[in-house]
Amino acid sequence: MHLTEHGGASQAEELRKSKAQEFSDLMQALLERKGKFQIILIVLLSLNSMLVGINHTITTFHTYVPKFYCRDQKNFTCDYYVNGTECPSGYQFDENDDTTLAVEYSTVCGRAMLAPLINSLYFVGVTLGSIVCSSMSDVYGRRKLVIASLYGQAIMALAQYVSSHLMLFIVFRIMQGFFIQGLQTVSYALIMEYSPSRFRTVAATYWESNWAVGLGILGAVAYFVRDWRMLTLVLTLPVFLTLSYVWFIPESIVWLSTKQRRTEATRIIHKIAKFNRNEEVVQQSNALMLTEKEQPDAMSGGNDGNQKETQEKITMGVLMRNRILRKHLLSMVSVWFSVTLSYYGILYFLPNLAGSRHLNWEYGALIELLSYVMSYFIFAGFGRRMPMALLQYCNGGLILFMAILSALPPESYSQWWIVATALTAKGLAVSSFCGMFIFGSELLPTACRGLGLGLCGCAARTGSLLAPQLMALIGVFPTFLPLGIMSVLLVLAATITLFLPETLSTILPNTIEEADQTWGSPRN
């Protein structure tokens, strides 16, 4: 009797393994073949990148300070006091200029520090969102978090529109940053998990290029809509048009696979294959669904140790205990931090160019768009590892060149040398942005991709928070110091990148075990 039971259990286990392999083959047959469903999905999800770009930078227009003076002192300077009070009669702003937070809440002179504080607090929300939302996506799924983040940030934007106090605006702005970062990280993870390995570079580049398109849209709308509340409303209302297609966005089938929910994943595969008119995959999925009806346990994965392992994979402790993934994650954290620090550092270092600020904004958006297009040819043709390292080395060299110029007497060189070098360095930083998103997502398995990208996003946001403080050292210390720090960090991160594996055209691993098989045995 014991032998019979043992034999039956072995047969059931063999059946489960056989069906698991059939499901894995079916999933790869769908994902490794480019179809119109995946293309439409990538296009729709990449619209979220526009929202991220707009909301990360809209504070520039919110906090813009028009020309102003004190009502009782037209030759006003901020050190003008009456009875110890700065401009007691209030401020008068140029009526022909924008109506911004500075106009409504007088964030000038003694209150001028509120403008950078608003931006910094927004990125605090972004930092929290990068960890919390991405971790939740590993537990509850990509689709739910994309939808919650999309409409969560829109509701927070509408709350800013009706806010009656600056403190309320700041609170809503922080909460919007939380949802915006969740939208960025989880949308990108979903794109990567539905992209064929040969198509991931163009998918990632398209996602990133929508950031630049978003910047262009922001600058154009801000030119015509000069009131900050109306600007917020005009850029938010189109989000609700997504209600017409949000039903189209499926759950990630590779995420469902890591959660042993293969029956649900097979149904999604069947729908996608029918949409793509892929009859071979339709027939295979039909066969698997029939097997599930006849033998439900064969597709369930069983209540064994694998299920327990799946739950462990989403924790940071398990990820960091694995030698391979620990190396990948810490390496990418250093890359994301240094690249973001350099991007925002260059942004703050660039001198104010003459001409229309809206036109200059559009020039910057165009530079970023061209950099993303260039990124596709670089990362598709030459892989991830070497281009990422070379971009960071070159960027570090250009920033060091700016540091050396800044140490020379100003009359010994043209200021346009620094401007041209800074713009080139910004373009390289933008290309590095594209590469770090692709490389980071490919170096982490599906089971912990959300969590890993969230930690990388946290490192990036730390870089964006520290950049203005680092550049504020100019004037206290020689300009060479902050620029030199950025250069050294980029060179160190580039060197670390050289020790990572190449991931071009590789199939994304789903589990930690698959990652170990792909990149070598772990030594914990």
Side-chain angles (χ1 to χ4, degrees), residues 447-465:
C448 57
R449 184 170 296 119
L451 179 61
L453 289 178
L455 188 61
C456 290
C458 180
R461 298 286 68 84
T462 303
S464 63
L465 280 169

Side-chain angles (χ1 to χ4, degrees), residues 374-481:
M374 180 183 71
S375 299
Y376 167 71
F377 295 101
I378 292 174
F379 292 112
F382 302 98
R384 321 307 197 205
R385 184 170 61 93
M386 286 304 297
M388 274 299 298
L390 289 175
L391 283 170
Q392 291 173 95
Y393 277 133
C394 291
N395 207 0
L398 287 175
I399 293 176
L400 182 62
F401 178 66
M402 286 194 296
I404 294 172
L405 284 181
S406 66
L408 299 175
E411 63 274 7
S412 64
Y413 63 92
S414 170
Q415 288 296 311
W416 286 104
W417 276 102
I418 287 189
V419 174
T421 305
L423 287 173
T424 305
K426 182 187 177 186
L428 292 177
V430 167
S431 296
S432 298
F433 259 115
C434 186
M436 74 186 192
F437 270 94
I438 302 172
F439 206 16
S441 64
E442 292 177 341
L443 287 169
L444 297 167
T446 303
C448 57
R449 184 170 296 119
L451 179 61
L453 289 178
L455 188 61
C456 290
C458 180
R461 298 286 68 84
T462 303
S464 63
L465 280 169
L466 291 179
Q469 280 69 40
L470 181 64
M471 301 315 293
L473 294 176
I474 297 176
V476 180
F477 297 97
T479 306
F480 184 87
L481 178 62

Side-chain angles (χ1 to χ4, degrees), residues 184-329:
Q184 180 184 32
T185 304
V186 182
S187 295
Y188 187 81
L190 191 54
I191 284 177
M192 288 294 99
E193 289 167 3
Y194 267 106
S195 298
S197 57
R198 292 176 290 109
F199 195 61
R200 284 201 303 267
T201 305
V202 68
T205 305
Y206 182 74
W207 160 269
E208 291 293 339
S209 65
N210 275 269
W211 166 290
V213 174
L215 297 187
I217 292 173
L218 171 60
V221 174
Y223 178 79
F224 293 102
V225 182
R226 298 302 183 101
D227 180 89
W228 78 266
R229 290 182 187 272
M230 189 56 63
L231 177 64
T232 301
L233 184 64
V234 169
L235 291 171
T236 300
L237 288 180
V239 171
F240 294 98
L241 295 175
T242 61
L243 290 169
S244 64
Y245 67 76
V246 73
W247 56 269
F248 184 83
I249 299 174
E251 184 53 84
S252 167
I253 56 177
V254 291
W255 177 83
L256 289 170
S257 173
T258 65
K259 296 298 179 181
Q260 307 296 325
R261 291 161 59 179
R262 299 191 189 114
T263 301
E264 185 179 346
T266 304
R267 294 194 183 103
I268 294 175
I269 291 173
H270 182 265
K271 291 180 181 178
I272 295 175
K274 285 187 68 176
F275 189 91
N276 289 341
R277 296 182 180 177
N278 188 339
E279 293 301 326
E280 180 181 351
V281 175
V282 169
Q283 292 175 7
Q284 292 177 8
S285 59
N286 279 333
L288 269 179
M289 287 190 290
L290 181 62
T291 300
E292 191 275 332
K293 290 180 180 179
E294 296 173 350
Q295 300 169 316
D297 290 342
M299 291 287 287
S300 67
N303 187 19
D304 55 15
N306 289 334
Q307 184 69 20
K308 180 180 178 182
E309 181 187 341
T310 299
Q311 298 300 324
E312 283 189 321
K313 290 172 188 173
I314 63 172
T315 66
M316 182 61 68
V318 172
L319 194 156
M320 294 302 293
R321 284 196 297 270
N322 184 279
R323 178 185 64 87
I324 295 172
L325 297 183
R326 182 174 64 244
K327 181 183 77 170
H328 290 184
L329 183 60

Side-chain angles (χ1 to χ4, degrees), residues 129-172:
S130 68
I131 298 175
V132 176
C133 292
S134 53
S135 299
M136 290 177 67
S137 76
D138 283 340
V139 177
Y140 300 108
R142 315 305 196 207
R143 184 177 186 271
K144 291 179 181 177
L145 266 294
V146 167
I147 294 173
S149 298
L150 177 63
Y151 297 117
Q153 68 84 27
I155 292 171
M156 291 303 105
L158 294 178
Q160 293 167 44
Y161 172 75
V162 300
S163 61
S164 57
H165 193 277
L166 182 60
M167 185 56 67
L168 283 175
F169 169 83
I170 292 174
V171 170
F172 294 139

Side-chain angles (χ1 to χ4, degrees), residues 35-80:
K36 61 180 180 179
F37 181 92
Q38 290 95 317
I39 294 174
I40 294 173
L41 181 64
I42 290 168
V43 169
L44 293 178
L45 286 174
S46 293
L47 295 176
N48 295 338
S49 185
M50 293 186 193
L51 295 175
V52 177
I54 288 171
N55 284 284
H56 274 11
T57 57
I58 196 173
T59 310
T60 303
F61 296 97
H62 278 167
T63 59
Y64 167 71
V65 180
K67 291 181 180 179
F68 69 97
Y69 58 87
C70 189
R71 284 193 176 95
D72 60 3
Q73 180 72 19
K74 290 200 174 183
N75 295 321
F76 170 73
T77 58
C78 284
D79 56 0
Y80 171 68

